[in-house]
Amino acid sequence: MELSHLRVFVEVATTGSISAASRTLHRVPSNLSVRIQQLEADLGCQLFLRDRQRLRLAPAGARLLDHARKILALCDEARSLAQDDSPAGPLALAILDVGLVSRVPRVLAGYRQAYPEVAVSLHSGMSGEVEQLVLDGQVELGLSDGPLARAGLEQAWAFDEELYLVTAANHGAVRSVGQMTGREFYSFGRNCSYRLRLEAWLEQGGQTPRITEMESYQSILACVSAGTGVAWVPQSVLQALPADYPIKTHRLGVAGHSSQYFFWRKAGLSGNALRFMHLFKQYEKDRPD
């Protein structure tokens, strides 16, 4: 199996036709057709179903596609890291606000120490804002709640986060969404993926969401601790609070599971961005439980 064959396979699968892929890869269509046939012969299975002017992935092709993309991404990362021994230039990042609470600052500090000639610019915001910055090309690499379903973006898992239901310290145990009848929730605006997840959780439990928008976890937690309402808050935010902060946390089970993803435009990543992701993974590996 050759990398060039995998690259052709991924591009044809993405665009849906040999002719469209040939324009992207700057090769004649016949060359791509031969490479697809060679890959199918090598693997011993049919990767595409021929449907008039368009190709559709066969079951074997659908199973291969995600793995092929990961293989190519790893190879591109290895090549970039090996060829560029004196990183410089810009790196624009967009990070979900909660990512700046515990993980990203220490990675950013380590990155700047390791690559002082790289000019890092950092933007923060809610999920929708972060995603739009990447789509618009204002930043190269984003980190936000995922997985994403936006066309034109590639993504890679970064870390898992747990959301907790937070109440005043004297609140009784919460065992079901039904106990939230009539409660006021504090959350961010509708561009926040956590806000959308909260609304879905309430609606699935037959509750009508009563949400007051706020702009910071500091404000949210101050109101919750005073007993005026409740909120969903990520574990990393709670870990930064004093041990005696006057609130009580309640686990949400599956509803509280959240995964953060790096994402970028399909045009690819620079060596500077790949190095940041690589360093982030190293820090996550060494992170204490």
Side-chain angles (χ1 to χ4, degrees), residues 241-245:
L241 297 175
D244 59 349
Y245 198 86

Side-chain angles (χ1 to χ4, degrees), residues 15-32:
T15 60
S17 73
I18 294 287
S19 58
S22 69
R23 291 191 293 270
T24 303
L25 297 174
H26 306 292
R27 296 179 182 176
V28 296
S30 59
N31 178 278
L32 271 61

